[in-house]
C-alpha cells in the first residue's frame, strides 16, 4: 500500500516537472517574508516602483512552480534581493542546476516538502519574523479551574436531575475563556499546527541521506536535536487545531468546553517553543530555500536559452542575443557599452520600451538567480531604478508630469550622494511641452550620466545634439511593410523617421485629417 501511494505521488511529481502548473498568486501574502525581513537582510533590494515598472510580478509567476506557500515567499524574496558575486549567487545556482539534473535527489526532497502544500504561510511568517504572541496565564489558577470544571461536569452527569444545570455555567465559562485565549494570542493557536508540520518536515529532511551536499539540508542536519525538541513541544499545542481531521477538531472542541486544554497546553509549552525561535526560523527558511531551488531548477529545465552572466565592478554592459523572458515570440538583440549611457530613439511600438525592460529584467535575474536570457551577458554590480509606468496620482492630486518629476528627483539625489546605478527612463518628461521637455531632459540626463548608466527612450531626436558626449545613440526603425511594420532590431545612431500619422491612417482616421496633419508637420519643419 505504501509503495502504491509513493509511486502515485512520484507520478504526479514527474507530470508537474514536465508541465509546471502556474496559477494566480496572492502577492500580498507571498510578499510577507520579504516585507518582514527586508531590513535584516542588509542587502540592496529592488524597490517597489522598479518592480512594478519591469512587470516582475509576472516574471515571478512564470518562475514560480513551488509546492508550498513557504517556498513562494522565499522565491519572491530572492527575486527582490540583489546579491553580489561574492555572496550566495553561485552556490544557489549550483543547487538549482544540481536538482535539475539529479532526479532522485529532487524527488526525495519533493516527497517531504509536499506535506506542506496546504496552508497559509503568511500567518506563520508573521509569528516567526514579527512578534511571537507571548501571554502568561496563571498556571495554578488555570489548573484549579480545570479540576473544578471536570469535577462539576462529572458530578452533574452522575447526579442527574437539577444538578445537570450546574454544567451550563461551566461550558459557557470555558467557551468564553477559549475565545479570550484566541484573541489575546492573536489567533496564533491556528498557526501552530502548520508550524508543527514545518518542524516535522524539517526533521524528516534532516534525516535524509543525500550524496550531494545541499547547504539547506546540511543546516537542518546540524539542528537535528533542537528540531526534535521543538517538535515535541509544538505537538502538545497543535493537536487542538488539527484542521486535517474533522473528528479530532470536534473532539478537541468538546474537550475545551470541559476544561481549557488549549490554555494549559500553551502555558506549559510556549516557553520552550519560544526559546527555539531561531531554530524554527532556520527550518522555515531552509524548506523555503529547497522549494525555491526546485522551482528554479524547473525553470532552467524549460528555458535552456540562458547563460551565467559575468558580474564586474566596471560600468560595462555587454549582451549577445539577449531577449525578454516574458515574450513568447521575441527578437533578440546584442548590445555593448563601456561606461557610456544610451539614448534610444524610434517610432511608436518599434521596441524601445521593451528593450530597456529587457536590460532591466536581465540585470535583476543576473543578481538574484545568476542567470540571463542571452547567449552571453556582462553586467556591472550596480543597483537598478526605473521610471517607466509613471501614472497620474489622482487621489493625491498629482499630475503625470509631477509624478515623474518626483521620481527623477530621487535619481538626482542618489547621484549627488555618489550612488552608482543603472537608471531606466521611458519617454522622459512626456507630460509637458516640447521645448521645456527637451531642455529639462538634456540638463537632467547630463547630470545623471556623470556617474551612472542611464538608458533613456525618447521621441525627441533633438536630445542627441546635447547628449552625444556622454550617451551612445541607438534606435529602432520601421521596415516599410504594412503587415510587419517593425523588425525590433537595435541599430546604432538616431532614428529619423516618424510613424504617428501613419498609425492614425492604419486605425482608420479620415484621410482629410491625416493630410492636414502632414501639412502641419511640413510647416513646423520649415
Amino acid at each position: 500500500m505504501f509503495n502504491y501511494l509513493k509511486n502515485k505521488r512520484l507520478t504526479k511529481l514527474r507530470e508537474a516537472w514536465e508541465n509546471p502548473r502556474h496559477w494566480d498568486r496572492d502577492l500580498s501574502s507571498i510578499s510577507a517574508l520579504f516585507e518582514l525581513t527586508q531590513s535584516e537582510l542588509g542587502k540592496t533590494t529592488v524597490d517597489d516602483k522598479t518592480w512594478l515598472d519591469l512587470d516582475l510580478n509576472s516574471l515571478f509567476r512564470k518562475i514560480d512552480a513551488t509546492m508550498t506557500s513557504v517556498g513562494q515567499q522565499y522565491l519572491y524574496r530572492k527575486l527582490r534581493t540583489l546579491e553580489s558575486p561574492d555572496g550566495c549567487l553561485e552556490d544557489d545556482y549550483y543547487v538549482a542546476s544540481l536538482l535539475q539534473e539529479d532526479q532522485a535527489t529532487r524527488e526525495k526532497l519533493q516527497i517531504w516538502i509536499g506535506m506542506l502544500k496546504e496552508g497559509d504561510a503568511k500567518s506563520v511568517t508573521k509569528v516567526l519574523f514579527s512578534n511571537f504572541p507571548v501571554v502568561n496565564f496563571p498556571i495554578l489558577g488555570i489548573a484549579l479551574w480545570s479540576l473544578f470544571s471536570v469535577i462539576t461536569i462529572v458530578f452533574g452527569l452522575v447526579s442527574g436531575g437539577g444538578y445537570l444545570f450546574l454544567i451550563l455555567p461551566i461550558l459557557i465559562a470555558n467557551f468564553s475563556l477559549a475565545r479570550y485565549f484566541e484573541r489575546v494570542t492573536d489567533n496564533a493557536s491556528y498557526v501552530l499546527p502548520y508550524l508543527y508540520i514545518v518542524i516535522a518536515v524539517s526533521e524528516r529532511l534532516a534525516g535524509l541521506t543525500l550524496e550531494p551536499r545541499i547547504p539547506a539540508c546540511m543546516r537542518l542536519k546540524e539542528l537535528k536535536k533542537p528540531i526534535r525538541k521543538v517538535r515535541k513541544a509544538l505537538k502538545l499545542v497543535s493537536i487542538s487545531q488539527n484542521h486535517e481531521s474533522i473528528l479530532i477538531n470536534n473532539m478537541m472542541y468538546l474537550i475545551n468546553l470541559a476544561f481549557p486544554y488549549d490554555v494549559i497546553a500553551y502555558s506549559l509549552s510556549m516557553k520552550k517553543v519560544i526559546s527555539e525561535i531561531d531554530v524554527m526560523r532556520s527550518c522555515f527558511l531552509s524548506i523555503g530555500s529547497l522549494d525555491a531551488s526546485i522551482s528554479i531548477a524547473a525553470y532552467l529545465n524549460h528555458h535552456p536559452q540562458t547563460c551565467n552572466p559575468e558580474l564586474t565592478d566596471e560600468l560595462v554592459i555587454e549582451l549577445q542575443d539577449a531577449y525578454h523572458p516574458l515574450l513568447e515570440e521575441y527578437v533578440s538583440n546584442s548590445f555593448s557599452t563601456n561606461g557610456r549611457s544610451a539614448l534610444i530613439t524610434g517610432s511608436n511600438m518599434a521596441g524601445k520600451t521593451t528593450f530597456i525592460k529587457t536590460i532591466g529584467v536581465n540585470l535583476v535575474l543576473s543578481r538574484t538567480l545568476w542567470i540571463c536570457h542571452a547567449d552571453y551577458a556582462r553586467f556591472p554590480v550596480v543597483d537598478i531604478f526605473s521610471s517607466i509606468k509613471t501614472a497620474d496620482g489622482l487621489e493625491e492630486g498629482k499630475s503625470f508630469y509631477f509624478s515623474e518629476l518626483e521620481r527623477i528627483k530621487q535619481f538626482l539625489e542618489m547621484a549627488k550622494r555618489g550612488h552608482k546605478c543603472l537608471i531606466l527612463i521611458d519617454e522622459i518628461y512626456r507630460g509637458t511641452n516640447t521645448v521645456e521637455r527637451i531642455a529639462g531632459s538634456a540638463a537632467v540626463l547630463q547630470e545623471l550620466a556623470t556617474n551612472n548608466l542611464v538608458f533613456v527612450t525618447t521621441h525627441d531626436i533633438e536630445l542627441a545634439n546635447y547628449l552625444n558626449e556622454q550617451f551612445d545613440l541607438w534606435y529602432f526603425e520601421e521596415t516599410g511593410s504594412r503587415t510587419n511594420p517593425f523588425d525590433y532590431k537595435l541599430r546604432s545612431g538616431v532614428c529619423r523617421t516618424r510613424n504617428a500619422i501613419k498609425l492614425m491612417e492604419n486605425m482608420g482616421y479620415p484621410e482629410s485629417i491625416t493630410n492636414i496633419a502632414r501639412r502641419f508637420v511640413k510647416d513646423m519643419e520649415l
Side-chain angles (χ1 to χ4, degrees), residues 396-407:
E396 300 175 16
K398 295 179 181 177
S399 70
F400 180 98
Y401 177 58
F402 189 77
S403 297
E404 188 178 16
L405 282 176
E406 284 189 322
R407 180 64 172 171

Side-chain angles (χ1 to χ4, degrees), residues 189-222:
S189 56
Y190 292 105
V191 172
L192 297 175
Y194 192 80
L195 186 56
Y196 170 76
I197 300 174
V198 170
I199 303 304
V201 169
S202 299
E203 187 175 19
R204 293 287 188 175
L205 292 171
L208 288 179
T209 301
L210 302 174
E211 286 191 16
R213 294 176 62 85
I214 299 176
C217 292
M218 300 304 295
R219 285 195 298 271
L220 292 176
K221 283 186 180 295
E222 293 171 359

Side-chain angles (χ1 to χ4, degrees), residues 234-245:
L234 279 169
K235 187 174 184 178
L236 184 64
V237 292
S238 66
I239 293 175
S240 185
Q241 302 298 332
N242 184 351
H243 299 288
E244 294 183 1
S245 173

Side-chain angles (χ1 to χ4, degrees), residues 126-141:
K126 181 181 177 183
V127 166
L128 282 180
F129 297 95
S130 182
N131 295 314
F132 207 108
V134 181
V135 182
N136 295 316
F137 293 98
I139 299 294
L140 180 59

Side-chain angles (χ1 to χ4, degrees), residues 258-324:
F259 69 96
Y261 172 87
D262 283 346
V263 180
I264 295 173
Y266 182 94
S267 301
L268 293 175
S269 303
M270 290 316 293
K271 185 176 180 180
K272 186 182 296 183
V273 170
I274 294 169
S275 69
E276 301 292 347
I277 187 73
D278 289 337
V279 173
M280 292 188 288
R281 287 174 178 171
S282 293
C283 291
F284 186 95
L285 294 175
S286 295
I287 290 176
S289 173
L290 291 170
D291 196 8
S293 292
I294 294 171
S295 180
I296 297 166
Y299 185 77
L300 293 173
N301 191 56
H302 288 84
H303 297 83
Q305 312 91 347
T306 59
C307 69
N308 296 124
E310 182 181 350
L311 299 174
T312 69
D313 293 327
E314 301 174 1
L315 284 179
V316 175
I317 293 180
E318 184 178 351
L319 295 169
Q320 293 179 8
D321 290 329
Y323 64 95
H324 197 296

Side-chain angles (χ1 to χ4, degrees), residues 403-433:
S403 297
E404 188 178 16
L405 282 176
E406 284 189 322
R407 180 64 172 171
I408 293 179
K409 183 173 180 288
Q410 294 175 2
F411 301 161
L412 290 169
E413 290 171 350
M414 288 188 295
K416 188 177 181 179
R417 296 195 299 266
H419 191 73
K420 293 185 178 181
C421 311
L422 171 64
I423 298 173
L424 309 175
I425 304 175
D426 187 38
E427 299 292 351
I428 185 169
Y429 294 150
R430 64 189 124 175
T432 190
N433 66 81

Side-chain angles (χ1 to χ4, degrees), residues 444-458:
V444 164
L445 292 172
Q446 285 179 356
E447 179 67 23
L448 289 178
T450 302
N451 293 307
N452 303 290
L453 281 178
V454 183
F455 282 64
V456 57
T457 71
T458 182

Side-chain angles (χ1 to χ4, degrees), residues 226-398:
I227 287 174
R228 185 181 296 114
K229 176 182 175 184
V230 75
R231 179 184 62 77
K232 290 179 180 178
L234 279 169
K235 187 174 184 178
L236 184 64
V237 292
S238 66
I239 293 175
S240 185
Q241 302 298 332
N242 184 351
H243 299 288
E244 294 183 1
S245 173
I246 297 177
L247 178 63
I248 294 177
N249 282 343
N250 289 336
M251 183 180 70
M252 294 307 302
Y253 179 79
L254 294 176
I255 289 176
N256 273 283
L257 287 177
F259 69 96
Y261 172 87
D262 283 346
V263 180
I264 295 173
Y266 182 94
S267 301
L268 293 175
S269 303
M270 290 316 293
K271 185 176 180 180
K272 186 182 296 183
V273 170
I274 294 169
S275 69
E276 301 292 347
I277 187 73
D278 289 337
V279 173
M280 292 188 288
R281 287 174 178 171
S282 293
C283 291
F284 186 95
L285 294 175
S286 295
I287 290 176
S289 173
L290 291 170
D291 196 8
S293 292
I294 294 171
S295 180
I296 297 166
Y299 185 77
L300 293 173
N301 191 56
H302 288 84
H303 297 83
Q305 312 91 347
T306 59
C307 69
N308 296 124
E310 182 181 350
L311 299 174
T312 69
D313 293 327
E314 301 174 1
L315 284 179
V316 175
I317 293 180
E318 184 178 351
L319 295 169
Q320 293 179 8
D321 290 329
Y323 64 95
H324 197 296
L326 293 179
L327 296 178
E328 295 297 330
E329 296 182 6
Y330 59 82
V331 175
S332 61
N333 275 293
S334 298
F335 173 86
S336 67
T337 179
N338 190 3
R340 287 172 62 83
S341 295
L343 179 71
I344 304 144
T345 55
S347 303
N348 294 298
M349 301 189 298
K352 303 187 303 297
T353 304
T354 299
F355 174 70
I356 64 171
K357 285 185 176 182
T358 299
I359 297 289
V361 167
N362 278 299
L363 173 62
V364 170
L365 286 175
S366 294
R367 294 200 55 198
T368 56
L369 305 185
W370 202 43
I371 63 174
C372 181
H373 289 265
D375 288 345
Y376 171 80
R378 185 182 183 189
F379 279 113
V381 181
V382 293
D383 301 335
I384 178 171
F385 296 92
S386 67
S387 175
I388 296 176
K389 291 183 178 179
T390 304
D392 285 349
L394 296 179
E395 294 181 358
E396 300 175 16
K398 295 179 181 177

